[in-house]
C-alpha cells in the first residue's frame, strides 16, 4: 500500500494511471475534452463526476490528476490542485476563500508578487490585510483576532531566508479559528513538515524544485479534500488557472528525482555557506543550516536541513554586486530558483524591484544582497567560481 511507501518510492509511483496499453511512462492526455458513452452518462458526470472521471481540461485531466495525487501523498495532505503557475496557486488559494470584509494576517517578508496580491488585489476587493514581522510571535498574537479568516506566510522568506515558526503561528491562528496558508517553496516538498506542524493549506511554485530544470511554469495547492474540491476547485476551474497536461507530465518526470536533487543541492549549499563565512568582501552570509544562524535550531526542527539557497551581502553595494554577477562563469544570472543550474539573483533590482526603498530596508534587501540558488554542479567548482567573482567585486 502506498501509505507505507517511503518518499522516493512515492515520488516514482504514487498516483500512476495506465491506459489499456499498459505504458510504462506516464501518459500525456493532450485533450481539451472527453467523450461520454451516452447522453445520460454526460448528464450524470456534470451532476457529480466520479473519482476517475473527467469533463474538460480546465476542470481536470488524467495526467494532471496523477501529479496532484503524487504531490498530495508526498506533502501528507488529502488532496491537491495543480495550477498554471506558482502565483496562480497563491492567488487562487487566498482569493477562493476570502470575500469583502474578511481579515488576513501576513508576514511582511514576501516575494514581490505575493505582496502585490495582498496589498493591491485583495485590498481592492475589500479584504483587510495586516502585516507583521514573521519571526515575532508577539506581533502574530497581537494581529490575529477572532475575526481573522486566514494567516499567510512564507515558511522561509524570499530572499533573506528568515523562518516563520509554523507550529507556533498555527496554534495562534487556530485558536482564533483562522486557516493557515503557507508558501513553502524555499522549504521544498522534500524538507517540508508543514502539515505535521499545523499548516492547513500549502502552496508551491512547481516551477522551482519540482520541475527543477527550468522547463515549465506551474504551481500546486495542497490541503484537505473539503478545501481543495469545495473551495478552491470551483474558483480555479471557472477562472481558468489550471495546469496544462503537458506541464503536468513535466512535473511528474521532475518528481522522480526530486529527493535526490534537493538533498544534493542542500549539501552543496551548506558547503558554499561555510566557505563564504568571514570573506572580507561580505557583510553577512545567511544560511539557516549554519550553527551561527540565529534561527538554526528552528530550521533543523522545522525542515531538518538548511535548504538549497544561500544569501550573502556584498558590503560595497550595488556596483560591486554587479561586478560580482558579471564575473561569474558557472552560476547564471537569472531570477528563478530551485534549478539544476546554480542561479544568482540581485533581488533589489529584479524580484523585489517594485518595492519602495524603505520597504526594502525593512526587509533587509540591501543594494549588495545576492540570492544564490544552488544547483547540481560540483560544490568545489561552485565555490571556486564564487571566490574568483568576489575578487572582482
Amino acid at each position: 500500500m502506498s501509505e507505507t511507501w517511503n518518499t522516493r518510492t512515492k515520488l516514482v509511483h504514487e498516483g500512476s494511471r495506465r491506459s489499456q496499453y499498459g505504458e510504462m511512462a506516464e501518459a500525456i492526455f493532450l485533450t481539451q475534452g472527453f467523450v461520454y458513452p451516452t447522453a445520460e452518462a454526460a448528464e450524470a458526470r456534470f451532476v457529480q463526476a466520479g473519482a476517475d472521471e473527467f469533463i474538460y481540461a480546465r476542470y481536470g485531466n488524467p495526467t494532471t490528476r496523477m501529479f496532484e495525487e503524487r504531490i498530495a501523498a508526498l506533502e501528507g495532505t488529502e488532496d491537491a490542485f495543480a495550477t498554471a503557475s506558482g502565483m496562480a496557486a497563491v492567488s487562487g488559494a487566498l482569493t477562493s476563500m476570502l470575500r469583502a470584509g474578511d481579515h488576513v494576517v501576513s508576514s511582511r517578508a514576501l516575494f514581490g508578487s505575493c505582496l502585490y496580491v495582498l496589498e493591491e488585489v485583495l485590498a481592492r476587493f475589500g479584504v483587510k490585510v495586516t502585516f507583521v514581522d514573521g519571526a515575532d510571535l508577539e506581533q502574530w498574537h497581537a494581529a490575529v483576532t477572532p475575526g481573522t479568516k486566514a494567516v499567510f506566510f512564507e515558511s522561509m522568506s524570499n530572499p533573506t531566508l528568515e523562518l516563520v515558526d509554523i507550529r507556533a503561528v498555527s496554534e495562534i491562528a487556530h485558536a482564533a479559528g483562522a486557516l493557515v496558508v503557507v508558501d513553502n517553496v524555499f522549504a521544498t516538498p522534500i524538507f517540508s513538515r508543514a502539515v505535521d506542524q499545523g499548516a492547513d493549506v500549502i502552496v508551491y511554485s512547481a516551477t522551482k524544485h519540482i520541475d527543477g530544470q527550468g522547463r515549465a511554469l506551474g504551481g500546486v495547492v495542497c490541503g484537505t479534500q473539503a478545501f481543495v474540491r469545495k473551495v478552491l476547485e470551483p474558483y480555479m476551474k471557472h477562472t481558468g488557472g489550471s495546469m496544462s497536461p503537458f506541464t503536468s507530465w513535466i512535473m511528474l518526470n521532475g518528481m522522480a528525482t526530486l529527493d535526490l536533487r534537493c538533498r544534493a543541492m542542500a549539501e552543496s549549499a551548506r558547503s558554499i555557506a561555510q566557505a563564504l563565512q568571514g570573506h572580507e568582501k561580505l557583510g553577512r552570509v545567511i544560511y539557516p543550516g549554519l550553527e551561527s544562524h540565529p534561527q538554526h535550531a528552528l530550521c533543523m526542527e522545522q525542515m531538518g536541513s538548511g535548504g538549497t539557497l544561500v544569501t550573502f551581502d556584498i558590503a560595497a553595494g550595488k556596483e560591486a554586486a554587479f561586478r560580482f554577477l558579471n564575473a561569474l562563469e558557472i552560476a547564471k544570472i537569472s531570477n528563478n530558483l530551485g534549478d539544476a543550474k546554480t542561479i544568482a539573483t540581485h533581488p533589489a533590482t529584479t524580484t523585489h524591484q517594485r518595492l519602495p526603498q524603505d520597504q526594502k530596508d525593512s526587509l533587509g534587501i540591501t543594494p549588495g544582497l545576492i540570492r544564490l540558488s544552488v544547483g547540481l554542479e560540483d560544490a568545489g567548482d561552485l565555490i571556486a567560481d564564487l571566490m574568483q567573482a568576489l575578487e572582482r567585486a
Side-chain angles (χ1 to χ4, degrees), residues 31-314:
T31 178
Q32 94 292 353
F34 300 85
V35 174
Y36 313 105
T38 65
E40 289 81 5
E43 179 186 38
R45 198 170 299 183
F46 268 80
V47 171
Q48 181 61 61
D52 210 28
E53 293 181 336
F54 302 93
I55 294 171
Y56 191 60
R58 182 158 44 85
Y59 294 15
N61 173 280
T63 311
T64 300
R65 194 67 190 128
M66 283 190 266
F67 170 60
E68 291 169 345
E69 290 184 356
R70 193 165 294 180
I71 189 69
L74 175 63
E75 193 65 26
T77 57
E78 293 176 354
D79 211 340
F81 192 93
T83 64
S85 68
M87 284 313 305
V90 170
S91 61
L94 292 172
T95 308
S96 65
M97 74 166 75
L98 299 170
R99 62 182 63 202
D102 284 343
H103 179 228
V104 176
V105 180
S106 171
S107 60
R108 60 172 54 91
L110 299 174
F111 175 53
S113 293
C114 293
L115 279 171
Y116 179 83
V117 169
L118 289 157
E119 292 179 324
E120 302 289 337
V121 178
L122 293 181
R124 190 183 306 159
F125 293 107
V127 176
K128 181 183 177 183
V129 181
T130 302
F131 289 99
V132 299
D133 178 349
D136 188 340
L137 293 179
E138 290 305 314
Q139 291 190 32
W140 286 104
H141 273 291
V144 176
T145 70
T148 302
K149 186 68 177 290
V151 303
F152 175 72
F153 55 88
E154 295 173 354
S155 55
M156 182 186 286
S157 71
N158 180 6
T160 54
L161 312 186
E162 178 185 84
L163 277 82
V164 173
D165 188 330
I166 297 174
R167 192 182 305 280
V169 174
S170 295
E171 289 175 358
I172 295 168
H174 291 156
L179 282 179
V180 178
V181 184
V182 179
D183 182 337
N184 219 26
V185 168
F186 279 36
T188 82
I190 296 305
F191 301 129
S192 168
R193 302 171 185 174
V195 174
D196 292 340
Q197 291 155 358
D200 300 299
V201 180
I202 300 95
V203 178
Y204 287 105
S205 170
T207 311
K208 311 304 189 287
H209 302 88
I210 294 172
D211 170 27
Q213 291 161 80
R215 300 171 297 188
L217 291 174
V220 66
V221 182
C222 303
T224 64
Q225 192 169 56
F227 177 82
V228 171
R229 297 301 156 189
K230 300 298 184 183
V231 178
L232 178 67
E233 181 184 327
Y235 176 84
M236 296 305 298
K237 75 181 185 182
H238 292 301
T239 56
S242 55
M243 181 179 282
S244 79
F246 185 73
T247 300
S248 301
W249 180 80
I250 289 174
M251 299 304 172
L252 282 165
N253 280 273
M255 289 186 76
T257 59
L258 181 60
D259 185 85
L260 298 168
R261 286 185 286 108
C262 285
R263 294 188 187 281
M265 292 154 73
E267 184 177 346
S268 292
R270 179 177 173 82
S271 297
I272 288 168
Q274 289 173 329
L276 291 176
Q277 275 193 121
H279 194 285
E280 61 182 7
K281 292 194 175 182
L282 298 180
R284 54 179 173 154
V285 175
I286 306 171
Y287 184 67
L290 293 177
E291 289 78 2
S292 58
H293 191 281
Q295 292 183 301
H296 175 72
L298 174 61
C299 181
M300 291 299 103
E301 177 189 348
Q302 199 154 283
M303 294 169 51
S305 167
T308 67
L309 290 103
V310 180
T311 299
F312 48 92
D313 195 355
I314 297 178

